[in-house]
Amino acid sequence: MLQPQFASVEDTATRLGAAGYLTDHAIATTVFLADRLGKPLLIEGPAGVGKTELAKSVALATDSELIRLQCYEGLDEARALYEWNYKKQLLRIQAASDDTAWDEIHDDVFAEEFLLSRPLLTAIRNPKPTVLLIDETDKADVEVEGLLLEVLSDFQVTIPELGTIAATRRPLVFLTSNATRELSEALKRRCLYLHLDYPAADREKAIVLSRVPEVAEQLADSLVRTVRALRALELKKSPSIAETIDWAKTLVALGLDTLDEQAVHETLGVVLKHASDHTRAIEQLKLN
Amino acid sequence: MTEGLVDREIAFLDALRKAGLTVSLAEVIDSTRALGAIELLDRESLRHAWAACVLKRPAHRTTFDTLFDLWFPPVLGDQTLTEDDPLRSLEDGEGPADPEAYRDMLRQLLLDGDDEMMKRFARQVVQGLGRADTAPGRQSWFSYRVLRQLSPETLTASLLEAMLQGQERGGMAEKVARQTISERIKRFQELVEAEVRRRLAEDRGAEQISKTAVQPLAEQVDFLRASRNDMAELRRQVFPLARRLATRLTARRRLGKTGKLDFRRTVRASLGTGGVPLVTHHKPHKPHKPELVVLCDVSGSVAGFAHFTLMLAYALREQFTKVRAFAFIDTCDEVTDYFTPGGDVADALARMNSQAKLIWFDGHSDYGHSIEKFAEDYPDAVGPKTSLLILGDARNNYRATGAQTLKKLVQRSRHAYWLNPEPQAYWGSGDSATGAYEELIEMVEVRNAVQLEEFIQRLLPA
């Protein structure tokens, strides 16, 4: 039932790298461990550091099917787990001839055919290798956490009319969260935990170079250092990796090869998305 | 799996618990299973694996790392250098080590930013400069000895020179270079401190050092004792904290009782069941949003606390119909306008301190005069819908308390609370006028961010 995908930490790092995701030691070890122990992995961190991207890359690297459950306020069992297709059930009952016994119909309408499988159930029943991504878990209501507890600890689902369905092959589960609310201790305890933060300077530079190959190394270097200086200011929203990459693309598109005051001033809108952050950066970096 | 390793693991996890982390039995089992999965010879793998199993909150990471380094030191004893090692030059000659040679090398390392070399250098430096005899036959290790002799900050000027290479000074390039340098210096200091802790743990045992090595978490730091770094860390936490509080409060409101019967929707829904209203529909409850008036002491002694609380009040603006802020030292002025929506709060605080009229007489806290002045100049500020929040330590320099005026204000308001950053045990000692105020208004001890969070949850009704 537990069929690990990765052979070692190095193997994890190499294969994720080949899938376009540059890991560091912590990320590779944690992903490897989640795979090896068969435990769900909870990834927390600020927006835009590549949480969702990590799950997608793991799916790509292991050649698994990616099943995604996007969480939002008001998400319920019927959207996350399964639902009976009641319209079809009604049709079946109406179509039955009068002399059919009720017992027969009853057994019939609660058959596989009338079951609508939602992401969680789909992931559990999938016989092929699967990566289940539960995105923005913190957006969902507290009740959904209770639902996840059952699914994630035993990898089985109980449907009263059909019985218990256990996973034939344990999916690799990733949960992401922006920490807008504290997830319950019980859920955290069932997961391995990875805090993704803004990367170290070297890694960020490598990411920029791999994503925007047109950019010169010199420029990538000063770009990363400038972004780090911006992060050190007390801003409302610090620039994330996604923004660094956008910035690099912008500079390439504009044909700039050095990052001087004027260039920063003109393109600051790409990295900072709040007017007050803008003024603050201009003042602190002495751009005017 | 060796038994010794598991014993060590349990002892380490126990040290984590003592430092305030919760480590459940399930997590201990996970960590032990992780031992079987990873390459044990790779120390960093072990660190990350256990971090994944045990850590569940980013704020605990520093504590975890510090303790991990103590219990599973990367190296033992002195460093042995090969013939051609660049660090070899530092060891030449007998007698006391020469700080100048170390400084030159440090300068080069700060310029290169080579982390691996920096680690080995830190080790060598502590070995060379950090040792001192505390008593005959006893030695100890000190990070301040190293940092004082090397004083890395004084290298900044020459590093800037080298890094800018003739680029224009004073502009963005300098700012960015400064940032890089201070990051690297900070890294060096951390390395030295970690190395000293390792040396101490080697002499006296990890358990002994664990007790003192761990710093309290930012949210538990006392406002009155917070260092500049702590305050900066706290300020960074304001918005996440406000967001967390806001979602929790909205969730609580949604879960609360629903309001009056929605006649129209009920009748419409009843059509599906042949006109029999099987399911009733209700209008959502109208949330009660209080008006908030904050009156805060911004004199030196409690400024950190006042700033943090003001920032939080403003970050929670949507939870109130109206927020008005007044600051005082020995007289009172309205500071609401400094906090414009979307504006920068750090800026607002700076402007408030320089522009608002807060000093009337001598610039020492005068609660009596400030309260009188507040009641006189802003008679309409406090009404029956207002929650009045007073922030301060009530250290009044033995002046008049203005208790009668405060009593009227409290009676006029819907709720009134006094948040005091001093520990309750100190209330009423010396020039603290808590005695006079406590019987008029509910006084709450708010020493750290955790207590403040608890208070705000209570303040906002469900």
Side-chain angles (χ1 to χ4, degrees), chain B residues 96-169:
Chain B
D98 175 21
E100 272 315 304
Y102 283 104
R103 260 174 75 88
D104 284 346
M105 184 164 271
L106 176 62
R107 180 175 173 279
Q108 195 52 46
L109 282 173
L110 288 173
L111 201 55
D112 299 342
D114 177 354
D115 200 58
E116 208 37 56
M117 197 63 201
M118 187 75 100
K119 269 185 203 155
R120 300 187 47 229
F121 175 71
R123 204 176 153 200
Q124 199 66 27
V125 164
V126 171
Q127 193 174 315
L129 302 176
R131 193 190 328 234
D133 296 325
T134 46
R138 272 186 70 108
Q139 57 170 18
S140 197
W141 305 86
F142 297 98
S143 54
Y144 78 84
R145 280 179 68 91
V146 176
L147 296 176
R148 199 188 51 203
Q149 288 186 66
L150 291 182
S151 56
E153 284 87 359
T154 54
L155 290 169
T156 307
S158 97
L159 281 171
L160 266 181
E161 194 83 27
M163 228 177 239
L164 291 175
Q165 289 166 346
Q167 272 175 285
E168 198 188 330
R169 298 291 293 253

Side-chain angles (χ1 to χ4, degrees), chain B residues 5 40 144 158 209 318 335 361 406 418 453:
Chain B
L5 185 57
L40 283 177
Y144 78 84
S158 97
I209 307 305
E318 297 101 66
V335 295
F361 182 55
L406 181 67
W418 187 306
E453 193 179 337

Side-chain angles (χ1 to χ4, degrees), chain A residues 53-169:
Chain A
E53 203 55 38
L54 176 59
K56 285 186 187 164
S57 307
V58 170
L60 194 63
T62 56
D63 203 15
S64 310
E65 192 180 332
L66 180 75
I67 296 177
R68 180 170 176 164
L69 172 65
Q70 178 70 44
C71 293
Y72 51 86
E73 240 179 69
L75 177 77
D76 60 0
E77 217 175 46
R79 298 269 148 218
L81 200 54
Y82 70 90
E83 197 175 12
W84 288 107
N85 189 345
Y86 74 94
K87 289 176 195 148
K88 213 170 162 191
Q89 284 174 325
L90 276 179
L91 280 177
R92 168 72 186 80
I93 294 171
Q94 283 169 2
S97 53
D98 287 338
D99 51 347
T100 323
W102 164 245
D103 280 352
E104 210 172 300
I105 303 175
H106 177 270
D107 286 347
D108 205 32
V109 289
F110 287 111
E112 207 41 67
E113 195 193 340
F114 300 98
L115 190 69
L116 289 177
S117 187
R118 304 290 185 206
L120 289 181
L121 185 62
T122 314
I124 280 184
R125 292 207 296 184
N126 198 355
K128 285 179 289 208
T130 314
V131 169
L132 171 62
L133 167 62
I134 304 177
D135 217 0
E136 309 200 31
T137 316
D138 51 336
K139 296 268 166 63
D141 303 315
V142 185
E143 299 87 67
V144 176
E145 272 185 41
L147 181 71
L148 288 177
L149 285 183
E150 189 197 347
V151 176
L152 297 184
S153 52
D154 300 333
F155 289 96
Q156 61 178 37
V157 172
T158 306
I159 301 174
E161 297 84 356
L162 286 182
T164 304
I165 299 178
T168 42
R169 186 186 180 122

